[in-house]
Amino acid sequence: FGNIVVLQLFFFFNDTATTEIYTEQIVGSVRCVQETVFIVVNIIVMFLCFFSLISSMSANILEQTKEIAVLRAVGLTKNRMIALYIDEAFVLVFSSSLLGILIGTFVGWTMTIQRILFTQLPIRFVFPTTNLVAVLVVSLVCAFGSSYFPARRIMNNQISQIVRISN
């Protein structure tokens, strides 16, 4: 609020050099706050999706208990089975993230072009790399957590118990 008052005073006295400096500072601080809010919202949404991923991966693993028992009886190790489900979650999350990034980038780019056409201002498209990194890191953590714990819960049982679970 104080910066806005100072900016208005400088506009009033028409000191353009100082006004440009304060305008750049305010725009920079607004961008920083905006970027922080976007990252926090992204993380909240990702953790909400994490619970959906946990339920779908748990249901998938429970539906495949008979196949898990057969593969374990043939000789596949517990760790290899857990790694198989972790890989499945990574593929699912990575493909979803990649598709979301591509669609979001295209929509953002077209909105930027539309704004340029309507306002006739030289607006440039800025790709949010910090948001991209935050989304990829959180999605990898979510993929690991959503598949490791349900798979480990099933794999800690004996093969005969896994067969009983499937019936």
Side-chain angles (χ1 to χ4, degrees), residues 48-108:
L48 289 175
C49 292
F50 172 66
F51 293 115
S52 174
L53 187 62
I54 283 178
S55 67
S56 67
M57 287 302 294
S58 295
N60 185 25
I61 291 171
L62 286 175
E63 286 176 3
Q64 294 179 356
T65 52
K66 188 173 270 189
E67 290 87 358
I68 290 171
V70 169
L71 289 172
R72 289 276 318 280
V74 170
L76 204 61
T77 64
K78 292 179 183 181
N79 290 333
R80 185 63 197 136
M81 287 296 294
I82 292 172
L84 182 73
Y85 285 107
I86 290 173
D87 291 345
E88 181 181 342
F90 278 131
V91 167
L92 179 70
V93 168
F94 183 73
S95 62
S96 299
S97 296
L98 183 65
L99 190 61
I101 289 166
L102 291 174
I103 291 171
T105 302
F106 179 73
V107 169

Side-chain angles (χ1 to χ4, degrees), residues 26-152:
I26 290 173
V27 168
S29 63
V30 167
R31 280 193 181 149
C32 182
V33 168
Q34 183 182 21
E35 196 167 296
T36 303
V37 167
F38 283 153
I39 289 173
V40 168
V41 168
N42 278 338
I43 290 172
I44 290 170
V45 168
M46 291 295 291
F47 277 113
L48 289 175
C49 292
F50 172 66
F51 293 115
S52 174
L53 187 62
I54 283 178
S55 67
S56 67
M57 287 302 294
S58 295
N60 185 25
I61 291 171
L62 286 175
E63 286 176 3
Q64 294 179 356
T65 52
K66 188 173 270 189
E67 290 87 358
I68 290 171
V70 169
L71 289 172
R72 289 276 318 280
V74 170
L76 204 61
T77 64
K78 292 179 183 181
N79 290 333
R80 185 63 197 136
M81 287 296 294
I82 292 172
L84 182 73
Y85 285 107
I86 290 173
D87 291 345
E88 181 181 342
F90 278 131
V91 167
L92 179 70
V93 168
F94 183 73
S95 62
S96 299
S97 296
L98 183 65
L99 190 61
I101 289 166
L102 291 174
I103 291 171
T105 302
F106 179 73
V107 169
W109 179 73
T110 56
M111 289 179 67
T112 301
I113 289 181
Q114 183 181 22
R115 183 172 285 164
I116 290 170
L117 288 173
F118 288 145
T119 61
Q120 297 297 317
L121 293 173
I123 302 171
R124 63 185 178 96
F125 175 73
V126 179
F127 187 80
T129 54
T130 53
N131 287 349
L132 174 70
V133 171
V135 164
L136 289 179
V137 168
V138 172
S139 66
L140 293 178
V141 170
C142 289
F144 178 79
S146 69
S147 59
Y148 175 75
F149 296 111
R152 188 183 68 167

